[in-house]
Amino acid sequence: MCKNSMQPLGNSCLGVSTFFASSHADDQCGADGLPLTPNSIKVQGRFQWLKVLYHPRLCQYLDLVRGKHERLILVTEHYKKCLAEEAEDDTFTDENNFLRLAYETIEGLAHIHDNGFVHRNLHPKNILLDTEGRVKLSNYAVYYITGCGADVNFPVGYPAYMAPEVLMAGPSSSSSCPPSGPKSDVWSLGVILLEVALKFKIWPNLSLPQLLAKILLLGKYGTSQHPLDSILKEHSMAEKFENLPLNIRYLIRLCLELLMSNRPSAKDLLKNNVFGKFSPSKCLSKSSSQCSSVRAYVVKILKYHSTSRISNYRFASKLDPARNGEEDYLAERSLKEVYYLWGLAGGDLENELRKHGFLQRSPPICSLPNLVTEYGDILGLERDRSSLYDDTVITLSLDQLRKRLEHIPPEDYYPLIEGEEMQQMSQSQSSNDLKELSQLPLVIREKDIDYQLHRIVLFDRLLKGYPHTIQRIKVETRRDMPPLYRAEAWAAILEVSGDFMSEYDAIDKESPLPIDSQLLIDIRRCHQYDEILYSPKAHSKLKRILKCWLISNPHLVYWQGQDSVCAPFLYLNFNNEALAFACCSAFIRKYLHKFYASDNSAVLDEYLAVFSHLIAFHDPELSNHMRSISLEPKLFATKWFLTMFAHVFPLHKIFHLYDTLLLGNSSFPLCVGVAILQQMRDYLLMEDFSACILIISDMPEIDIERCVQDSIRIFCHTPKSATYRQHSRPPAKKEDSSIFSMKQISYYTTDVNEMPRSELSREPLSLEELQAERCPRISAEDLLELCGLTGIENSRSPTRKSKSSKPIILILDIRNSEDFSRGHIPSSINMPFNQAFAPEGDLVPCHGVTQLNSHKGRVVVVVGNRGNNAPNFAAQLVMLGYPKVSVMHGGIECLKATGILSVSSPDL
Amino acid sequence: MTGRGPPRLNGAGAGGMCQFKLVLLGESAVGKSSLVLRFVKGQFHEFQESTIGAAFLTQTVVLDDTTLKFEIWDTAGQERYHSLAPMYYRGSQAAVVVYDITNQDTFARAKTWVRELEKAGSPNLVIALAGNKADMANRRMVEAEEAKAYAEEKSILFMETSAKTAMNVNDLFLAIAKRLPRNEKQPSGEGGSGHTLVDPAQDEKKSGSCLTTPGLNFFTLTSELDLRVFKFEDVYGVILNRISTCYVVNK
């Protein structure tokens, strides 16, 4: 599932190039009345999946950054040597070397064509050679990402290497120009190979019109004269060509066929006998190389952790070959990681470009046109040269990054993730620094290169060990999430499993559905501030995922806002729709069970009633205020819960929120809701209804890290049965005895309703009862556990149980004193309802009141008989501002069978 | 205004003050939220996100020495959220039913909303029909005459509006304000008696001209702003917007 097959940095470097997308005239609107999507955004959308296009003969695309004025900056894997420079040497006069060059280039082209696009930009400068002299094609996607050249003002490609049919089609800016086919690349390759073989440049000094004429005239004789012969004749090279080995001549002739139907495709060429002795380049993800990398990894672990108990085995040194001293640990990290770290180390693309003389802008006064029409057409403006294409690739220096990481001890690159070593590790020097770092605010941690390096290395390791490492992934995620591996880690935490790929593929997402128009309307305005989600590619992806979800959940329907729920998952898994779909589905299953039923009112109302209880439980003052101004949660929190905050916060906040939310159970979002209200409580308490609801809908800068911390605190201080909901997801069936069945019940992640039930558990209340009551009810089970009365076999509550003297709850028994003396819960206090309150509603001073006041913060449980007395009593306490008031569900009766009720009266 | 939260335009003045509940209804993506946003904040977002459940905003206008405070409930357009709508229009004094002039279906939907309001809304409910997206007249699918005839038949207010260009947005709300009975006026001693507005047509004559002069609008505006807490740009933007609206109207 976790696709980490990305190529390591190795000896490559990072290259940067830049160009401009063409801009629209101002104020132009599309057919839907919305502004035209900027071309740079379209390019950005198309670019995304290139990030996961791996092939050993292709340079990896790493990033595309949008600058000002439609500038686009491409970051790719890069090598300093290219064919243009090397062709002069004698390397390729050797037949074998020549054929290998051809073979490897064709391999790269074939992979591009297999993926449904064409290079169209071949040039000896774009055929790079790595340190071992092997081919790496670069700049191969410019034609594709610019919509076959439609989104830029410059022509893509080098005329000298263009096939006649490409030139015949006319300029790519015209709408009638058909996109070039894959066989045009084969022609370009033919020209390049011819130049290499003959070691001379064809038509080096011609003007552009002359050059175009020459190429177009190659077709003059139709099929009667082969273009190759025309070229050779023109340059009197026929004799020199004849001296070349037969295989080379044959190959070049094949490539330069005039008619596309006669010209072989890249794939055909690979199968040609000329290349009989070559075998396909191996991908790193192939099992053999993975084996060797695993072995290498083991060796490294043994080497760097030899101080620990592993040294007993004493083969660390034996296994490690002579390579010692300067070892480049960074070279083994993937390009994606290295580029990310480069950014953290202070790398700035625009700055790099500026250093090399790019990004020069003419003064604004010089860019004024002579005439602007009222339609926004601009006349008499000299074309800015910078809008033309410059194929220079700047190499990013990794020196600064290497220097920055110098002090990282080698063992940190090879962490142990199991057993006691894990703890031992934390004694080393760098781990101590890390410990300090982990105390810093999240935003700082995310920008700190040392910290992120460790997190990345660790998560990379853990994710490779998934699903075995799932518990550890969860534990680490509690601390924080390295943004680089969020997509994979979320999928792991959501326990996405099974063959979601084929499940997704099997569903028809293209046939029109009645809901399509609604989806279109909503998707078009869903998180559009984000440039990736703004792109047309994202729109179509989001639509497909939503449709797929609707089709695979026929009993559920589309509710506005669901687009927002889906968006973060698409954003993270932009290049893996199926995974985005699987994550989103798992998320909805877990947190939004039945929320998207066509009639969800019962579900939502119950959820909101429980939410009200939680507010009263944790913040009675706020709850009382909200009641006094009739500010019902329904008016503002529907949006919160129906979209799990995805429609409330911008993406970056959603990510931080979900990093924790995903770890919690389906009740956790309720705690998030309380935490949000608490963050605004000082304002809310001062204001009337309309001001309050304005504050809430404005969502002033919510500090999401604090919100997350508060939510956890609230969650841990809420008895688990307080959030019981009858409409929550029924327990999963036992049959899925997958790897997950071995996990133990954890209070944090497991739902109340998934825990084993007994007669002491809670039963459902009607919605009316639920809405009428102000406090949460807790189960007898919870009560016993909170008092520590029974040695319940496996404690599931996170509430720290201080086994000694300090009880964490206060039990108020509100029955009359006779009933009380006949049997009550040990250490409970008798406060008969009819004597407890003065006519004005205040509490009449008594022992219970003293206890209440001196132990604020304890969970107060009101116990009575069945009936409304206990809830009413509890409601009175809330009115008086007592926090953490709850009611025991079922009354004292349900404890009779347990035999723990005591008859004596210890409080007197 | 104390230093809490972001400053708002609706820090109501202290004069005679009436509060009205107003609800916006209509098919999704016709521009309900955009109309409100234009009216309340003078802003327009091309990609105004969809409204889930409902959103609440307030705005005050000054009309004949009376401060009117609109409490606006902007509802979700998707049919699924229909069941929530009564919660918002019940008890409302005014309703704006919005459709998109480039989409015939939304007009049909608007008509069903009007019918529902006539049946279930409060008896004195002031209903206004707004044909939004008037800036996209080249893609018009609903003729203004058709909508106007319908509105006259139902004796409800009608205007074509554009949240994008601000055309008729303020006028729509002011027209509603003029139709609203102002008998809930608090006894502050300011202005005339509480029951001046009976005949809307007469009122039109009385105050129509001054409502559309930039001067009064400017006054209206400054009276509701506490200039100390606003950035100049904000105020300037709002004023500019108001003046340009008036300009369009006067033309």
Side-chain angles (χ1 to χ4, degrees):
Chain A
M1 179 184 62
C2 309
K3 274 174 111 185
N4 285 329
S5 58
M6 211 171 158
Q7 302 177 42
L9 174 68
N11 293 314
S12 64
C13 42
L14 302 180
V16 185
S17 55
T18 181
F19 62 89
F20 282 97
S22 55
S23 52
H24 300 299
D26 285 341
D27 271 352
Q28 269 191 328
C29 284
D32 52 0
L34 290 168
L36 290 179
T37 310
N39 284 323
S40 57
I41 294 280
K42 290 192 207 161
V43 175
Q44 179 72 283
R46 290 192 205 102
F47 172 82
Q48 295 307 314
W49 76 273
L50 291 171
K51 289 189 200 165
V52 291
L53 182 76
Y54 312 116
H55 190 271
R57 301 280 70 84
L58 298 178
C59 282
Q60 169 79 46
Y61 276 99
L62 293 168
D63 199 11
L64 179 71
V65 177
R66 282 175 75 232
K68 271 186 193 160
H69 307 291
E70 298 289 273
R71 179 185 286 285
L72 290 161
I73 306 172
L74 273 170
V75 186
T76 60
E77 175 183 359
H78 187 64
Y79 297 88
K80 283 179 183 146
K81 281 207 283 188
C82 69
L83 183 61
E85 294 161 10
E86 302 294 305
E88 304 300 316
D89 299 347
D90 283 338
T91 327
F92 300 112
T93 42
D94 174 62
E95 183 186 349
N96 198 40
N97 284 351
F98 182 90
L99 288 177
R100 204 179 60 153
L101 168 78
Y103 182 78
E104 290 179 351
T105 310
I106 297 169
E107 264 193 303
L109 289 176
H111 191 69
I112 291 171
H113 299 163
D114 277 350
N115 280 283
F117 67 108
V118 292
H119 192 309
R120 248 300 298 276
N121 200 18
L122 263 180
H123 186 281
K125 279 195 271 186
N126 287 339
I127 300 177
L128 305 185
L129 300 167
D130 69 11
T131 42
E132 286 150 26
R134 312 202 62 185
V135 168
K136 291 269 186 181
L137 297 185
S138 78
N139 267 333
Y140 51 87
V142 175
Y143 187 65
Y144 164 73
I145 59 174
T146 57
C148 300
D151 296 340
V152 285
N153 280 329
F154 55 85
V156 178
Y158 299 87
Y161 299 97
M162 276 184 186
E165 73 269 12
V166 172
L167 296 175
M168 287 286 286
S172 57
S173 53
S174 70
S175 52
S176 58
C177 169
S180 304
K183 284 188 179 175
S184 315
D185 286 344
V186 176
W187 172 282
S188 310
L189 174 71
V191 179
I192 292 170
L193 289 179
L194 180 64
E195 287 190 346
V196 173
L198 296 177
K199 280 209 195 173
F200 96 115
K201 276 234 176 305
I202 314 169
W203 309 309
N205 300 319
L206 294 186
S207 71
L208 188 61
Q210 287 172 321
L211 180 60
L212 300 185
K214 286 272 185 214
I215 298 173
L216 288 170
L217 284 173
L218 289 175
K220 189 167 60 171
Y221 304 104
T223 44
S224 61
Q225 187 173 336
H226 195 280
L228 175 63
D229 296 326
S230 307
I231 297 170
L232 293 174
K233 205 169 151 193
E234 186 195 334
H235 295 281
S236 343
M237 284 282 189
E239 205 179 317
K240 192 173 174 188
F241 187 74
E242 286 309 315
N243 291 333
L244 293 172
L246 178 68
N247 276 342
I248 296 182
R249 280 182 287 150
Y250 170 70
L251 180 66
I252 294 175
R253 194 166 283 274
L254 269 181
C255 293
L256 292 179
E257 276 292 343
L258 182 68
L259 292 178
M260 282 194 281
S261 48
N262 295 341
R263 208 183 298 155
S265 71
K267 249 196 171 145
D268 297 337
L269 282 173
L270 285 181
K271 283 183 226 139
N272 200 297
N273 285 335
V274 177
F275 299 123
K277 56 184 161 183
F278 296 101
S279 57
S281 305
K282 281 193 188 95
C283 279
L284 272 172
S285 54
K286 288 277 179 334
S287 54
S288 61
S289 60
Q290 211 164 47
C291 267
S292 70
S293 80
V294 167
R295 197 179 310 130
Y297 192 86
V298 172
V299 169
K300 293 276 162 62
I301 289 200
L302 293 173
K303 179 178 170 193
Y304 296 121
H305 294 282
S306 54
T307 47
S308 65
R309 74 184 159 88
I310 296 176
S311 63
N312 297 340
Y313 298 111
R314 291 191 178 198
F315 60 2
S317 53
K318 250 188 271 171
L319 266 171
D320 194 34
R323 276 184 67 186
N324 49 9
E326 289 305 299
E327 215 168 330
D328 190 0
Y329 310 108
L330 209 55
E332 285 176 36
R333 305 311 308 174
S334 73
L335 279 160
K336 176 171 116 171
E337 289 177 354
V338 172
Y339 171 62
Y340 182 73
L341 292 170
W342 177 84
L344 289 182
D348 178 357
L349 291 173
E350 296 212 355
N351 209 10
E352 294 290 328
L353 288 173
R354 210 169 287 125
K355 263 196 274 178
H356 289 83
F358 285 80
L359 299 190
Q360 275 175 348
R361 298 206 62 80
S362 48
I365 190 84
C366 299
S367 50
L368 283 179
N370 292 344
L371 184 67
V372 182
T373 70
E374 62 177 314
Y375 303 108
D377 295 324
I378 291 171
L379 301 166
L381 178 65
E382 227 178 275
R383 195 166 175 189
D384 188 0
R385 290 199 63 78
S386 66
S387 72
L388 300 174
Y389 184 58
D390 183 337
D391 60 8
T392 314
V393 177
I394 299 165
T395 313
L396 292 185
S397 162
L398 293 177
D399 295 346
Q400 201 187 341
L401 176 63
R402 289 214 159 86
K403 204 164 189 163
R404 186 69 185 70
L405 296 175
E406 230 168 31
H407 66 284
I408 306 280
E411 65 265 26
D412 285 13
Y413 287 90
Y414 306 95
L416 294 172
I417 55 170
E418 288 283 340
E420 63 216 70
E421 288 79 12
M422 203 173 100
Q423 269 77 43
Q424 277 184 18
M425 242 174 50
S426 61
Q427 266 130 48
S428 77
Q429 176 58 37
S430 71
S431 311
N432 279 338
D433 296 346
L434 279 187
K435 243 184 209 158
E436 272 168 39
L437 278 171
S438 66
Q439 305 300 316
L440 293 171
L442 184 62
V443 274
I444 297 179
R445 273 179 278 157
E446 285 194 351
K447 297 273 176 250
D448 187 279
I449 182 166
D450 292 291
Y451 189 73
Q452 284 304 315
L453 176 78
H454 284 89
R455 300 299 282 168
I456 285 170
V457 168
L458 178 64
F459 269 77
D460 177 40
R461 207 55 223 150
L462 289 173
L463 287 165
K464 280 177 181 148
Y466 179 82
H468 175 67
T469 48
I470 179 65
Q471 285 309 327
R472 182 77 198 282
I473 291 174
K474 287 184 178 175
V475 168
E476 287 298 331
T477 305
R478 275 187 212 180
R479 195 194 292 172
D480 58 38
M481 174 76 79
L484 194 65
Y485 282 119
R486 181 172 279 130
E488 291 86 351
W490 276 20
I493 294 166
L494 283 166
E495 297 176 1
V496 170
S497 59
D499 191 0
F500 55 86
M501 284 286 191
S502 41
E503 189 195 335
Y504 185 73
D505 288 342
I507 291 172
D508 170 18
K509 302 167 283 286
E510 304 301 331
S511 305
L513 291 179
I515 195 72
D516 281 3
S517 54
Q518 181 75 52
L519 291 179
L520 206 68
I521 289 171
D522 290 342
I523 288 170
R524 203 66 185 84
R525 48 192 176 150
C526 173
H527 293 288
Q528 294 298 292
Y529 54 86
D530 179 83
E531 55 186 52
I532 290 177
L533 291 181
Y534 182 23
S535 68
K537 268 268 184 297
H539 296 158
S540 50
K541 279 170 186 280
L542 193 52
K543 185 173 165 196
R544 279 196 293 272
I545 295 173
L546 284 168
K547 281 179 86 166
C548 187
W549 184 86
L550 285 168
I551 294 166
S552 52
N553 292 282
H555 53 295
L556 300 173
V557 295
Y558 173 76
W559 283 80
Q560 267 188 327
Q562 215 181 327
D563 46 337
S564 295
V565 175
C566 198
F569 298 101
L570 173 63
Y571 181 91
L572 290 178
N573 302 293
F574 200 79
N575 294 312
N576 191 342
E577 262 175 67
L579 184 57
F581 164 73
C583 288
C584 183
S585 305
F587 181 80
I588 292 174
R589 256 197 316 274
K590 184 170 175 190
Y591 295 101
L592 292 158
H593 181 71
K594 286 196 201 168
F595 275 47
Y596 299 135
S598 66
D599 181 9
N600 61 7
S601 52
V603 185
L604 263 183
D605 285 344
E606 184 192 44
Y607 205 87
L608 290 166
V610 174
F611 181 51
S612 298
H613 292 171
L614 278 195
I615 301 171
F617 187 78
H618 291 285
D619 197 340
E621 190 186 356
L622 184 62
S623 170
N624 289 337
H625 178 67
M626 285 169 61
R627 260 172 85 92
S628 69
I629 58 172
S630 358
L631 181 61
E632 296 168 47
K634 190 172 190 167
L635 296 176
F636 59 87
T638 305
K639 168 163 108 173
W640 292 4
F641 297 124
L642 198 60
T643 66
M644 280 305 145
F645 309 98
H647 201 76
V648 179
F649 292 121
L651 282 172
H652 68 273
K653 287 191 178 182
I654 298 175
F655 289 148
H656 285 158
L657 180 62
Y658 280 16
D659 283 344
T660 302
L661 191 135
L662 292 182
L663 296 171
N665 65 21
S666 73
S667 301
F668 189 77
L670 290 163
C671 302
V672 176
V674 177
I676 292 174
L677 282 181
Q678 286 207 323
Q679 221 171 98
M680 301 183 280
R681 81 185 290 272
D682 291 346
Y683 300 138
L684 295 177
L685 285 175
M686 289 189 300
E687 299 291 349
D688 63 358
F689 173 83
S690 65
C692 274
I693 200 149
L694 282 171
I695 293 170
I696 294 175
S697 48
D698 260 16
M699 264 308 167
E701 284 304 298
I702 289 282
D703 176 349
I704 211 75
E705 194 186 357
R706 202 181 117 199
C707 170
V708 166
Q709 295 309 323
D710 289 348
S711 314
I712 296 172
R713 181 179 48 76
I714 290 166
F715 186 79
C716 293
H717 287 93
T718 309
K720 62 182 184 287
S721 53
T723 55
Y724 171 87
R725 283 165 291 120
Q726 61 169 313
H727 291 297
S728 56
R729 183 155 63 127
K733 294 194 178 71
K734 283 277 170 265
E735 61 193 68
D736 68 328
S737 55
S738 58
I739 33 143
F740 304 117
S741 57
M742 63 185 175
K743 70 183 177 199
Q744 71 269 51
I745 296 169
S746 128
Y747 174 66
Y748 199 55
T749 50
T750 315
D751 272 332
V752 180
N753 58 337
E754 289 193 358
M755 293 177 181
R757 297 187 56 81
S758 69
E759 62 274 27
L760 297 182
S761 304
R762 265 192 68 175
E763 298 132 37
L765 280 183
S766 74
L767 186 61
E768 289 72 32
E769 284 176 285
L770 207 58
Q771 284 172 336
E773 292 184 9
R774 290 209 58 195
C775 298
R777 292 191 174 205
I778 67 170
S779 65
E781 208 173 24
D782 260 0
L783 177 107
L784 296 181
E785 204 181 318
L786 285 170
C787 350
L789 277 177
T790 46
I792 287 180
E793 42 310 339
N794 48 350
S795 165
R796 302 189 292 259
S797 173
T799 323
R800 231 163 265 119
K801 209 181 299 177
S802 37
K803 279 185 183 136
S804 54
S805 53
K806 275 194 179 170
I808 51 169
I809 65 168
L810 195 67
I811 304 169
L812 298 181
D813 195 323
I814 60 158
R815 295 169 303 154
N816 60 42
S817 44
E818 286 164 34
D819 286 347
F820 184 78
S821 58
R822 265 184 232 129
H824 59 259
I825 306 165
S827 80
S828 62
I829 300 164
N830 189 213
M831 256 175 102
F833 197 176
N834 50 7
Q835 299 156 23
F837 295 97
E840 315 84 62
D842 289 335
L843 281 170
V844 177
C846 66
H847 173 64
V849 178
T850 331
Q851 288 290 313
L852 260 179
N853 290 335
S854 58
H855 295 296
K856 277 202 176 176
R858 281 194 195 175
V859 176
V860 178
V861 188
V862 179
V863 182
N865 293 313
R866 271 183 198 278
N868 280 336
N869 271 350
N872 291 343
F873 187 96
Q876 295 264 34
L877 287 182
V878 173
M879 297 281 264
L880 293 170
Y882 286 98
K884 301 235 171 105
V885 180
S886 62
V887 173
M888 192 184 90
H889 182 75
I892 198 86
E893 284 88 349
C894 66
L895 283 177
K896 281 190 174 143
T898 60
I900 55 164
L901 298 184
S902 61
V903 186
S904 64
S905 182
D907 291 317
L908 292 176
Chain B
M1 241 193 196
T2 50
R4 61 132 188 93
R8 278 175 227 296
L9 288 182
N10 44 43
M17 168 104 121
C18 305
Q19 287 196 8
F20 293 107
K21 217 174 125 184
L22 183 147
V23 64
L24 277 101
L25 301 164
E27 183 60 78
S28 60
V30 295
K32 296 180 291 301
S33 305
S34 293
L35 278 177
V36 180
L37 193 69
R38 174 58 84 185
F39 175 55
V40 172
K41 297 187 180 167
Q43 296 171 347
F44 178 73
H45 299 157
E46 298 278 5
F47 301 105
Q48 177 68 38
E49 56 189 23
S50 55
T51 308
I52 311 299
F56 180 83
L57 284 151
T58 63
Q59 174 67 309
T60 47
V61 293
V62 176
L63 189 69
D64 301 339
D65 297 336
T66 316
T67 310
L68 290 150
K69 183 177 179 192
F70 280 116
E71 297 188 334
I72 304 166
W73 281 105
D74 169 24
T75 63
Q78 196 193 6
E79 178 58 27
R80 300 226 162 276
Y81 289 95
H82 193 150
S83 59
L84 292 177
M87 185 163 94
Y88 299 105
Y89 68 66
R90 236 179 268 132
S92 286
Q93 285 91 346
V96 180
V97 178
V98 188
Y99 69 91
D100 170 358
I101 65 155
T102 68
N103 184 335
Q104 186 73 43
D105 294 346
T106 64
F107 184 54
R109 182 87 188 93
K111 286 180 179 172
T112 53
W113 274 120
V114 172
R115 271 197 296 280
E116 178 168 345
L117 288 173
E118 285 174 338
K119 237 189 279 170
S122 59
N124 296 324
L125 181 71
V126 176
I127 303 175
L129 182 66
N132 196 31
K133 307 199 187 177
D135 54 292
M136 284 161 71
N138 56 339
R139 300 185 58 230
R140 174 188 290 279
M141 298 300 283
V142 184
E143 289 307 323
E145 281 68 35
E146 188 190 352
K148 202 174 168 198
Y150 174 77
E152 272 164 14
E153 176 201 327
K154 295 278 180 187
S155 41
I156 57 178
L157 280 166
F158 168 68
M159 267 187 212
E160 286 205 342
T161 57
S162 166
K164 187 171 179 174
T165 65
M167 175 188 128
N168 276 349
V169 175
N170 290 356
D171 301 74
L172 176 76
F173 286 93
L174 286 174
I176 294 168
K178 280 186 268 165
R179 278 211 184 180
L180 287 167
R182 263 176 282 173
N183 47 8
E184 290 143 55
K185 194 168 171 181
Q186 274 132 33
S188 60
E190 224 175 279
S193 68
H195 297 274
T196 43
L197 268 181
V198 191
D199 179 10
Q202 199 189 344
D203 175 72
E204 199 98 22
K205 265 177 242 149
K206 208 173 67 187
S207 60
S209 60
C210 55
L211 261 173
T212 47
T213 51
L216 184 89
N217 257 293
F218 186 80
F219 168 75
T220 310
L221 183 79
T222 44
S223 71
E224 43 188 71
L225 296 181
D226 185 339
L227 289 168
R228 283 162 305 174
V229 295
F230 280 91
K231 274 192 264 162
F232 175 73
E233 289 85 348
D234 292 345
V235 180
Y236 183 73
V238 176
I239 292 171
L240 208 61
N241 165 246
R242 298 277 170 104
I243 292 174
S244 62
T245 317
C246 291
Y247 175 70
V248 172
V249 172
N250 282 335
K251 219 174 31 172

